[in-house]
Amino acid sequence: ILEGAEALLAKHRPLLVAEVNAARAGDMRAMLERLARIYPALATLEADGTLRPASVEALLGQRVGLDHLVVALPDAKRV
């Protein structure tokens, strides 16, 4: 899905929220690296509603086996 939408995402940079699970994802590294090329900031949306800044490496090792929300932010200042 991201591959087909990449040009649109790069042009408009909407706030993007994706539910991910490193244990079930096909190639999560490729997906996260693609998002990091398009968006200036990645974060996780925590259960209490806060955003926690996150790198690709941190996301790959975070809560493996559990679902979590990755937020791609069009503005790094929002984190």
Side-chain angles (χ1 to χ4, degrees):
I1 293 173
L2 282 178
E3 193 171 317
E6 189 168 1
L8 182 67
L9 293 173
K11 180 179 179 182
H12 297 287
R13 283 204 187 118
L15 178 80
L16 180 73
V17 179
E19 183 179 44
V20 298
N21 182 320
R24 292 192 318 226
D27 188 351
M28 189 162 153
R29 176 178 294 280
M31 179 199 67
L32 292 172
E33 287 175 349
R34 178 172 279 161
L35 286 176
R37 283 191 303 271
I38 297 170
Y39 288 90
L42 298 177
T44 56
L45 180 59
E46 302 300 323
D48 64 0
T50 60
L51 287 176
R52 177 171 294 157
S55 67
V56 170
E57 292 304 320
L59 290 167
L60 289 171
Q62 190 175 51
R63 294 180 257 184
V64 175
L66 299 174
D67 294 338
H68 57 282
L69 296 175
V70 172
V71 181
L73 297 155
D75 182 355
K77 292 182 243 172
R78 294 174 77 176
V79 180

